Amino acid sequence: MSSGNDCQKFTKPAFGEKEATELVDRVFGLKVSWIRPLPSYDDQNFHVRISGNKGAPEGADEYVLKITNSEDSQEPDLIETQTQAMMFLSTEGFPSATPYLTKDGNIMCLVSGGTGSGNKKYIVRLLTYLQGIPVAKIATNTQILYEIGKLAASLDKALSEKFHHPSVKSLHRGQFIWNLANVPLLDQYIYALGQNKHRKVVEQVIQQFKKKVIPKLSSFRASFRFLLCLGINHGDLNDHNILVDSSSASLETPQYRVSGILDFSDMSYGYYVFEVAITIMYMMIESPDPLSVGGHVLAGFESVLPLTEEERAALFLLVSGRFSQSLVIAAHTALQYPENKEYLMITAKTGWKHLMEMCEVGQEAVEKTWFETAKAYVHRGPAE
Protein backbone atom coordinates (compact mmCIF):
# COMPACT_ATOMS: atom_id res chain seq x y z
CA MET A 1 0.00 0.00 0.00
CA SER A 2 1.04 3.58 -0.48
CA SER A 3 3.17 4.61 2.47
CA GLY A 4 2.45 8.31 2.65
CA ASN A 5 -0.40 10.55 3.66
CA ASP A 6 -1.30 11.38 0.06
CA CYS A 7 -2.92 8.41 -1.67
CA GLN A 8 -2.39 9.98 -5.08
CA LYS A 9 1.41 9.97 -5.03
CA PHE A 10 2.18 6.42 -6.03
CA THR A 11 2.41 5.13 -9.57
CA LYS A 12 1.39 1.54 -10.02
CA PRO A 13 3.87 -0.28 -12.28
CA ALA A 14 2.68 -1.16 -15.78
CA PHE A 15 5.09 -3.80 -17.05
CA GLY A 16 3.95 -6.07 -19.87
CA GLU A 17 4.47 -9.83 -19.70
CA LYS A 18 7.33 -9.69 -22.20
CA GLU A 19 9.07 -6.93 -20.28
CA ALA A 20 8.57 -8.80 -17.00
CA THR A 21 10.01 -11.98 -18.55
CA GLU A 22 13.09 -10.08 -19.71
CA LEU A 23 13.38 -8.56 -16.23
CA VAL A 24 13.56 -12.00 -14.59
CA ASP A 25 16.33 -12.98 -17.02
CA ARG A 26 18.29 -9.75 -16.70
CA VAL A 27 18.06 -9.29 -12.92
CA PHE A 28 17.85 -12.86 -11.61
CA GLY A 29 19.44 -14.86 -14.44
CA LEU A 30 16.45 -17.17 -14.79
CA LYS A 31 14.52 -18.24 -17.89
CA VAL A 32 10.73 -18.01 -17.69
CA SER A 33 8.69 -20.86 -19.19
CA TRP A 34 5.36 -19.14 -18.54
CA ILE A 35 4.11 -16.00 -16.85
CA ARG A 36 0.71 -14.67 -15.83
CA PRO A 37 -0.38 -11.48 -14.02
CA LEU A 38 -1.75 -11.63 -10.48
CA PRO A 39 -4.29 -9.18 -9.04
CA SER A 40 -2.83 -6.45 -6.85
CA TYR A 41 -3.70 -3.17 -5.15
CA ASP A 42 -0.91 -0.72 -5.97
CA ASP A 43 2.06 -2.96 -6.77
CA GLN A 44 2.33 -5.27 -9.80
CA ASN A 45 2.69 -9.04 -9.38
CA PHE A 46 3.36 -11.87 -11.82
CA HIS A 47 3.23 -15.61 -11.23
CA VAL A 48 6.19 -17.09 -13.08
CA ARG A 49 7.48 -20.59 -13.67
CA ILE A 50 11.16 -21.07 -14.33
CA SER A 51 12.37 -23.48 -17.01
CA GLY A 52 15.28 -25.90 -16.71
CA ASN A 53 14.59 -26.95 -13.13
CA LYS A 54 13.77 -30.60 -13.70
CA GLY A 55 13.47 -32.87 -10.70
CA ALA A 56 12.66 -30.01 -8.35
CA PRO A 57 9.83 -30.57 -5.85
CA GLU A 58 6.37 -29.25 -6.75
CA GLY A 59 6.28 -25.46 -6.59
CA ALA A 60 10.07 -25.11 -6.27
CA ASP A 61 10.29 -23.61 -9.76
CA GLU A 62 7.44 -21.14 -9.24
CA TYR A 63 7.87 -17.57 -8.04
CA VAL A 64 6.08 -14.26 -7.70
CA LEU A 65 7.77 -11.36 -9.44
CA LYS A 66 6.83 -8.39 -7.27
CA ILE A 67 7.30 -4.90 -8.69
CA THR A 68 6.72 -2.30 -5.96
CA ASN A 69 4.88 0.95 -6.68
CA SER A 70 6.93 4.08 -7.33
CA GLU A 71 6.36 5.74 -3.95
CA ASP A 72 7.28 2.78 -1.76
CA SER A 73 10.24 2.14 -4.08
CA GLN A 74 11.70 5.41 -2.81
CA GLU A 75 12.01 3.79 0.63
CA PRO A 76 14.49 0.93 0.14
CA ASP A 77 15.07 0.59 3.90
CA LEU A 78 11.35 -0.11 4.34
CA ILE A 79 11.27 -2.75 1.59
CA GLU A 80 14.49 -4.26 2.96
CA THR A 81 12.95 -4.52 6.43
CA GLN A 82 9.75 -6.08 5.11
CA THR A 83 11.72 -8.66 3.15
CA GLN A 84 14.03 -9.45 6.05
CA ALA A 85 10.94 -9.90 8.24
CA MET A 86 9.56 -12.43 5.75
CA MET A 87 12.86 -14.31 5.82
CA PHE A 88 12.92 -14.22 9.63
CA LEU A 89 9.37 -15.57 9.88
CA SER A 90 10.20 -18.38 7.49
CA THR A 91 13.08 -19.46 9.73
CA GLU A 92 10.66 -19.31 12.68
CA GLY A 93 8.36 -21.81 10.99
CA PHE A 94 5.75 -19.42 9.58
CA PRO A 95 4.63 -20.09 5.97
CA SER A 96 6.18 -16.93 4.54
CA ALA A 97 7.75 -16.38 1.13
CA THR A 98 11.49 -15.84 0.80
CA PRO A 99 13.40 -13.94 -1.90
CA TYR A 100 15.46 -15.42 -4.73
CA LEU A 101 18.70 -13.46 -4.88
CA THR A 102 19.60 -11.28 -7.85
CA LYS A 103 22.64 -12.06 -9.99
CA ASP A 104 24.53 -9.62 -7.74
CA GLY A 105 23.49 -11.53 -4.62
CA ASN A 106 20.94 -8.98 -3.38
CA ILE A 107 17.36 -9.55 -2.22
CA MET A 108 16.02 -6.73 -4.44
CA CYS A 109 16.92 -4.47 -7.35
CA LEU A 110 15.87 -0.99 -8.47
CA VAL A 111 14.78 -0.87 -12.13
CA SER A 112 13.03 1.49 -14.54
CA GLY A 113 10.48 0.55 -17.19
CA GLY A 114 6.83 -0.18 -17.71
CA THR A 115 4.36 1.43 -20.09
CA GLY A 116 4.22 5.19 -19.71
CA SER A 117 6.37 5.15 -16.58
CA GLY A 118 8.75 7.93 -17.65
CA ASN A 119 11.62 8.20 -15.17
CA LYS A 120 9.83 6.14 -12.51
CA LYS A 121 11.90 3.51 -10.76
CA TYR A 122 10.59 0.40 -9.08
CA ILE A 123 12.02 -2.07 -6.59
CA VAL A 124 11.82 -5.62 -7.94
CA ARG A 125 11.89 -8.87 -5.95
CA LEU A 126 11.42 -12.52 -6.89
CA LEU A 127 9.63 -14.33 -4.07
CA THR A 128 8.90 -18.03 -3.64
CA TYR A 129 5.37 -18.92 -4.72
CA LEU A 130 3.27 -20.23 -1.84
CA GLN A 131 0.75 -22.99 -2.54
CA GLY A 132 -2.77 -22.84 -1.13
CA ILE A 133 -6.27 -21.44 -1.47
CA PRO A 134 -7.09 -17.88 -0.36
CA VAL A 135 -9.42 -17.80 2.63
CA ALA A 136 -11.77 -15.75 0.44
CA LYS A 137 -12.46 -18.87 -1.62
CA ILE A 138 -13.40 -21.29 1.16
CA ALA A 139 -16.40 -21.58 3.45
CA THR A 140 -14.77 -20.51 6.69
CA ASN A 141 -15.58 -22.40 9.87
CA THR A 142 -14.85 -21.79 13.53
CA GLN A 143 -11.72 -23.95 13.42
CA ILE A 144 -9.92 -21.88 10.77
CA LEU A 145 -11.10 -18.58 12.25
CA TYR A 146 -9.56 -19.58 15.59
CA GLU A 147 -6.35 -20.68 13.86
CA ILE A 148 -6.12 -17.40 11.94
CA GLY A 149 -6.57 -15.42 15.16
CA LYS A 150 -3.84 -17.50 16.80
CA LEU A 151 -1.60 -16.97 13.78
CA ALA A 152 -2.09 -13.18 13.89
CA ALA A 153 -0.99 -13.03 17.52
CA SER A 154 1.90 -15.48 17.08
CA LEU A 155 3.22 -13.56 14.07
CA ASP A 156 3.11 -10.17 15.83
CA LYS A 157 4.64 -11.64 18.99
CA ALA A 158 7.55 -13.19 17.07
CA LEU A 159 8.21 -9.97 15.12
CA SER A 160 7.96 -7.72 18.17
CA GLU A 161 10.07 -9.84 20.50
CA LYS A 162 12.65 -11.49 18.25
CA PHE A 163 13.00 -9.63 14.93
CA HIS A 164 15.99 -7.28 14.87
CA HIS A 165 17.31 -5.41 11.84
CA PRO A 166 19.26 -2.15 11.42
CA SER A 167 16.43 -0.62 9.37
CA VAL A 168 13.56 -1.70 11.62
CA LYS A 169 13.02 1.95 12.54
CA SER A 170 11.56 2.38 9.03
CA LEU A 171 8.42 0.70 10.40
CA HIS A 172 7.65 3.86 12.38
CA ARG A 173 5.34 5.17 9.66
CA GLY A 174 3.61 8.11 11.32
CA GLN A 175 1.42 9.25 8.42
CA PHE A 176 0.88 5.81 6.87
CA ILE A 177 -2.76 5.87 5.78
CA TRP A 178 -3.30 2.16 6.52
CA ASN A 179 -2.06 2.31 10.12
CA LEU A 180 -5.18 1.93 12.23
CA ALA A 181 -4.16 4.89 14.39
CA ASN A 182 -4.66 7.09 11.33
CA VAL A 183 -8.41 6.62 10.85
CA PRO A 184 -8.82 10.42 11.34
CA LEU A 185 -6.81 10.97 8.13
CA LEU A 186 -9.82 9.61 6.22
CA ASP A 187 -11.38 13.07 6.49
CA GLN A 188 -9.42 14.20 3.43
CA TYR A 189 -10.54 11.26 1.25
CA ILE A 190 -14.15 10.89 2.30
CA TYR A 191 -15.29 13.05 -0.63
CA ALA A 192 -14.87 9.92 -2.78
CA LEU A 193 -18.03 8.46 -1.21
CA GLY A 194 -20.25 11.28 -2.45
CA GLN A 195 -23.22 12.31 -0.32
CA ASN A 196 -25.11 9.27 0.96
CA LYS A 197 -25.86 7.11 4.01
CA HIS A 198 -22.50 5.38 3.71
CA ARG A 199 -20.65 8.65 4.13
CA LYS A 200 -22.69 9.53 7.19
CA VAL A 201 -21.82 6.24 8.86
CA VAL A 202 -18.10 6.68 8.15
CA GLU A 203 -18.22 10.24 9.48
CA GLN A 204 -19.75 8.90 12.70
CA VAL A 205 -17.06 6.23 12.98
CA ILE A 206 -14.30 8.81 12.50
CA GLN A 207 -15.77 11.12 15.15
CA GLN A 208 -16.17 8.29 17.66
CA PHE A 209 -12.64 7.13 16.88
CA LYS A 210 -11.26 10.60 17.57
CA LYS A 211 -13.21 10.81 20.81
CA LYS A 212 -12.74 7.32 22.28
CA VAL A 213 -9.65 5.73 20.70
CA ILE A 214 -7.17 8.51 19.92
CA PRO A 215 -7.00 9.76 23.54
CA LYS A 216 -5.84 6.31 24.66
CA LEU A 217 -3.08 6.29 22.04
CA SER A 218 -1.97 9.80 22.99
CA SER A 219 -1.91 8.89 26.66
CA PHE A 220 0.20 5.84 25.94
CA ARG A 221 2.74 7.80 23.92
CA ALA A 222 2.93 10.63 26.44
CA SER A 223 3.21 8.67 29.69
CA PHE A 224 4.13 5.16 28.49
CA ARG A 225 1.28 3.71 30.53
CA PHE A 226 0.52 0.39 28.95
CA LEU A 227 -3.09 1.03 28.08
CA LEU A 228 -2.39 -0.65 24.76
CA CYS A 229 0.54 -2.90 23.95
CA LEU A 230 2.85 -1.70 21.15
CA GLY A 231 4.37 -4.12 18.67
CA ILE A 232 5.02 -4.78 14.99
CA ASN A 233 1.88 -5.45 12.92
CA HIS A 234 1.62 -7.32 9.64
CA GLY A 235 -1.25 -4.91 9.10
CA ASP A 236 -3.13 -6.63 6.27
CA LEU A 237 -4.15 -10.18 7.19
CA ASN A 238 -7.07 -10.11 4.82
CA ASP A 239 -8.95 -12.97 3.20
CA HIS A 240 -6.76 -12.80 0.07
CA ASN A 241 -3.44 -12.59 1.95
CA ILE A 242 -3.94 -15.80 3.95
CA LEU A 243 -3.65 -19.10 2.09
CA VAL A 244 -4.93 -22.39 3.50
CA ASP A 245 -5.01 -26.03 2.57
CA SER A 246 -7.21 -28.82 3.87
CA SER A 247 -5.71 -31.00 6.59
CA SER A 248 -8.60 -33.50 6.58
CA ALA A 249 -10.53 -35.55 4.04
CA SER A 250 -13.92 -34.71 5.52
CA LEU A 251 -16.10 -32.65 3.20
CA GLU A 252 -18.72 -32.03 5.90
CA THR A 253 -16.34 -30.70 8.55
CA PRO A 254 -13.12 -29.74 6.75
CA GLN A 255 -10.11 -28.86 8.87
CA TYR A 256 -7.75 -26.25 7.46
CA ARG A 257 -4.23 -25.12 8.16
CA VAL A 258 -2.62 -21.88 7.07
CA SER A 259 -0.18 -22.58 4.22
CA GLY A 260 0.83 -19.06 3.27
CA ILE A 261 1.01 -15.47 4.55
CA LEU A 262 1.24 -12.88 1.78
CA ASP A 263 1.93 -9.16 1.32
CA PHE A 264 3.98 -7.52 4.06
CA SER A 265 3.79 -4.06 2.49
CA ASP A 266 1.53 -2.71 5.28
CA MET A 267 3.92 -3.64 8.10
CA SER A 268 4.34 -0.92 10.68
CA TYR A 269 4.69 -0.32 14.38
CA GLY A 270 1.27 -0.42 15.97
CA TYR A 271 -0.63 -2.04 18.79
CA TYR A 272 -1.34 -5.73 19.16
CA VAL A 273 -5.07 -4.97 19.34
CA PHE A 274 -4.79 -3.38 15.88
CA GLU A 275 -3.84 -6.74 14.39
CA VAL A 276 -6.78 -8.63 15.86
CA ALA A 277 -9.19 -5.85 14.82
CA ILE A 278 -7.90 -5.87 11.24
CA THR A 279 -8.09 -9.66 11.11
CA ILE A 280 -11.64 -9.74 12.47
CA MET A 281 -12.75 -7.16 9.91
CA TYR A 282 -11.37 -9.07 6.94
CA MET A 283 -12.62 -12.44 8.14
CA MET A 284 -16.12 -10.93 8.31
CA ILE A 285 -16.06 -10.08 4.60
CA GLU A 286 -17.00 -13.49 3.17
CA SER A 287 -18.84 -14.90 6.18
CA PRO A 288 -22.59 -15.63 5.98
CA ASP A 289 -22.76 -14.79 9.70
CA PRO A 290 -20.29 -11.91 9.97
CA LEU A 291 -21.11 -10.69 13.47
CA SER A 292 -20.21 -14.06 14.97
CA VAL A 293 -16.75 -14.12 13.39
CA GLY A 294 -15.07 -11.80 15.88
CA GLY A 295 -15.40 -14.11 18.88
CA HIS A 296 -13.61 -17.01 17.21
CA VAL A 297 -10.76 -14.87 15.87
CA LEU A 298 -10.46 -13.14 19.26
CA ALA A 299 -10.30 -16.47 21.09
CA GLY A 300 -7.43 -17.63 18.90
CA PHE A 301 -5.61 -14.33 19.30
CA GLU A 302 -6.02 -14.26 23.08
CA SER A 303 -4.71 -17.82 23.40
CA VAL A 304 -1.35 -16.17 22.60
CA LEU A 305 -1.79 -12.48 23.51
CA PRO A 306 -4.64 -11.75 25.95
CA LEU A 307 -6.05 -8.24 25.56
CA THR A 308 -6.44 -5.75 28.39
CA GLU A 309 -9.85 -4.36 29.31
CA GLU A 310 -8.91 -1.07 27.61
CA GLU A 311 -8.00 -2.90 24.41
CA ARG A 312 -11.25 -4.85 24.44
CA ALA A 313 -13.18 -1.62 24.98
CA ALA A 314 -11.61 -0.19 21.81
CA LEU A 315 -12.16 -3.30 19.65
CA PHE A 316 -15.56 -2.41 18.18
CA LEU A 317 -14.38 1.01 17.02
CA LEU A 318 -11.12 -0.42 15.73
CA VAL A 319 -12.97 -2.96 13.56
CA SER A 320 -15.35 -0.23 12.38
CA GLY A 321 -12.35 2.01 11.72
CA ARG A 322 -10.68 -0.62 9.54
CA PHE A 323 -13.90 -1.11 7.56
CA SER A 324 -13.95 2.65 7.03
CA GLN A 325 -10.29 2.76 5.95
CA SER A 326 -10.74 -0.06 3.45
CA LEU A 327 -13.94 1.32 1.95
CA VAL A 328 -12.93 4.99 1.77
CA ILE A 329 -9.39 4.43 0.46
CA ALA A 330 -10.65 1.94 -2.12
CA ALA A 331 -13.25 4.44 -3.36
CA HIS A 332 -10.62 7.18 -3.54
CA THR A 333 -8.07 4.99 -5.33
CA ALA A 334 -10.67 3.70 -7.80
CA LEU A 335 -11.24 7.30 -8.90
CA GLN A 336 -7.52 7.59 -9.65
CA TYR A 337 -7.18 4.15 -11.29
CA PRO A 338 -10.56 3.17 -12.77
CA GLU A 339 -8.94 0.37 -14.79
CA ASN A 340 -8.26 -1.46 -11.48
CA LYS A 341 -11.66 -0.70 -9.96
CA GLU A 342 -12.89 -4.31 -9.86
CA TYR A 343 -10.01 -5.44 -7.67
CA LEU A 344 -9.96 -2.27 -5.57
CA MET A 345 -13.64 -2.62 -4.70
CA ILE A 346 -13.56 -6.29 -3.63
CA THR A 347 -14.15 -5.40 0.02
CA ALA A 348 -16.98 -3.02 -0.87
CA LYS A 349 -19.10 -5.88 -2.25
CA THR A 350 -20.01 -6.96 1.26
CA GLY A 351 -18.08 -4.45 3.39
CA TRP A 352 -20.70 -1.73 3.40
CA LYS A 353 -23.39 -4.21 4.39
CA HIS A 354 -21.33 -5.49 7.31
CA LEU A 355 -20.34 -2.02 8.56
CA MET A 356 -23.93 -0.83 8.40
CA GLU A 357 -25.11 -3.93 10.26
CA MET A 358 -22.49 -3.45 12.98
CA CYS A 359 -23.61 0.12 13.51
CA GLU A 360 -27.30 -0.82 13.53
CA VAL A 361 -26.87 -3.66 16.02
CA GLY A 362 -24.68 -1.45 18.18
CA GLN A 363 -21.43 -1.78 20.10
CA GLU A 364 -22.89 -3.36 23.23
CA ALA A 365 -24.67 -6.20 21.44
CA VAL A 366 -21.79 -6.92 19.05
CA GLU A 367 -19.25 -6.98 21.88
CA LYS A 368 -21.50 -9.27 23.90
CA THR A 369 -21.47 -11.78 21.02
CA TRP A 370 -17.71 -11.53 20.54
CA PHE A 371 -16.73 -11.72 24.20
CA GLU A 372 -19.13 -14.52 25.15
CA THR A 373 -17.92 -16.60 22.20
CA ALA A 374 -14.29 -16.02 23.16
CA LYS A 375 -15.01 -16.82 26.81
CA ALA A 376 -16.53 -20.16 25.84
CA TYR A 377 -13.19 -21.28 24.37
CA VAL A 378 -11.55 -20.95 27.79
CA HIS A 379 -13.82 -23.72 29.07
CA ARG A 380 -14.10 -26.01 26.08
CA GLY A 381 -10.95 -25.41 24.02
CA PRO A 382 -10.65 -24.80 20.24
CA ALA A 383 -11.02 -28.43 19.13
CA GLU A 384 -14.40 -29.09 20.66
Side-chain angles (χ1 to χ4, degrees):
M1 303 299 181
S2 178
S3 63
N5 190 2
D6 187 345
C7 287
Q8 300 182 55
K9 286 183 180 178
F10 75 85
T11 297
K12 182 172 180 175
F15 285 70
E17 292 183 12
K18 181 179 179 182
E19 192 174 7
T21 297
E22 292 170 349
L23 196 60
V24 173
D25 186 4
R26 173 165 55 88
V27 175
F28 300 97
L30 298 174
K31 302 297 182 183
V32 174
S33 61
W34 60 253
I35 184 169
R36 64 181 63 148
L38 293 169
S40 61
Y41 200 99
D42 53 19
D43 299 329
Q44 190 176 20
N45 302 323
F46 293 93
H47 182 187
V48 300
R49 174 169 287 171
I50 303 305
S51 60
N53 200 10
K54 295 180 180 178
E58 182 182 355
D61 58 351
E62 295 182 48
Y63 296 90
V64 172
L65 176 66
K66 188 168 188 67
I67 308 171
T68 300
N69 70 77
S70 63
E71 184 188 355
D72 286 349
S73 291
Q74 296 175 41
E75 301 187 61
D77 284 352
L78 177 63
I79 308 301
E80 165 88 13
T81 303
Q82 292 167 355
T83 311
Q84 291 289 345
M86 294 161 63
M87 296 165 67
F88 160 78
L89 288 170
S90 180
T91 64
E92 290 289 309
F94 291 87
S96 174
T98 55
Y100 187 95
L101 298 184
T102 69
K103 290 193 292 187
D104 297 328
N106 299 313
I107 62 175
M108 61 190 190
C109 179
L110 189 66
V111 305
S112 58
T115 305
S117 61
N119 307 345
K120 299 291 185 182
K121 293 188 178 295
Y122 307 96
I123 287 177
V124 172
R125 289 168 290 168
L126 193 65
L127 305 174
T128 50
Y129 182 82
L130 300 177
Q131 302 291 333
I133 305 168
V135 169
K137 295 186 178 181
I138 68 167
T140 55
N141 56 31
T142 58
Q143 176 262 332
I144 191 57
L145 292 172
Y146 180 93
E147 292 300 327
I148 288 170
K150 186 175 180 180
L151 169 78
S154 300
L155 187 151
D156 277 22
K157 189 171 189 291
L159 286 172
S160 300
E161 295 180 357
K162 300 167 69 175
F163 176 61
H164 305 287
H165 188 268
S167 297
V168 74
K169 62 183 180 296
S170 64
L171 297 178
H172 287 288
R173 306 166 73 180
Q175 295 298 299
F176 182 44
I177 190 64
W178 287 101
N179 189 301
L180 203 39
N182 289 330
V183 165
L185 295 181
L186 295 178
D187 280 335
Q188 59 197 298
Y189 307 115
I190 202 169
Y191 75 91
L193 301 180
Q195 297 289 342
N196 52 44
K197 61 181 181 180
H198 291 161
R199 177 170 178 161
K200 291 180 180 178
V201 167
V202 170
E203 287 174 338
Q204 290 171 2
V205 170
I206 295 172
Q207 291 308 310
Q208 288 295 304
F209 201 96
K210 291 177 180 177
K211 180 180 178 182
K212 297 182 178 180
V213 176
I214 296 301
K216 291 184 179 180
L217 305 182
S218 300
S219 176
F220 169 78
R221 290 169 181 167
S223 65
F224 295 96
R225 294 187 341 209
F226 285 83
L227 294 179
L228 297 173
C229 195
L230 187 67
I232 296 176
N233 296 149
H234 175 281
D236 196 17
L237 290 174
N238 68 48
D239 48 336
H240 292 269
N241 284 343
I242 301 174
L243 304 178
V244 297
D245 60 23
S246 178
S247 58
S248 73
S250 172
L251 295 178
E252 293 183 0
T253 57
Q255 298 287 299
Y256 296 101
R257 70 175 186 92
V258 176
S259 62
I261 307 165
L262 308 178
D263 196 353
F264 285 74
S265 60
D266 281 4
M267 272 183 67
S268 67
Y269 274 107
Y271 301 95
Y272 287 135
V273 68
F274 284 6
E275 196 77 273
V276 67
I278 291 167
T279 307
I280 287 172
M281 176 256 152
Y282 283 118
M283 292 306 105
M284 290 174 65
I285 291 297
E286 302 294 337
S287 174
D289 186 15
L291 295 186
S292 71
V293 163
H296 303 292
V297 176
L298 179 61
F301 193 91
E302 289 197 308
S303 72
V304 178
L305 291 171
L307 299 184
T308 66
E309 287 304 312
E310 290 85 358
E311 289 170 332
R312 279 185 157 218
L315 194 56
F316 178 88
L317 276 173
L318 289 170
V319 174
S320 303
R322 185 53 168 207
F323 266 118
S324 300
Q325 283 181 315
S326 181
L327 295 164
V328 171
I329 297 169
H332 169 80
T333 310
L335 291 178
Q336 314 302 314
Y337 299 92
E339 71 279 3
N340 200 28
K341 183 176 181 179
E342 183 177 356
Y343 181 78
L344 293 170
M345 301 301 284
I346 285 174
T347 299
K349 291 179 180 178
T350 56
W352 282 117
K353 177 184 175 183
H354 296 341
L355 177 59
M356 301 295 280
E357 184 178 4
M358 279 184 66
C359 294
E360 289 169 5
V361 172
Q363 179 171 349
E364 184 178 352
V366 171
E367 287 180 341
K368 185 173 186 290
T369 299
W370 289 349
F371 298 157
E372 287 184 354
T373 300
K375 185 178 180 180
Y377 277 84
V378 176
H379 302 294
R380 63 181 171 84
E384 295 180 33

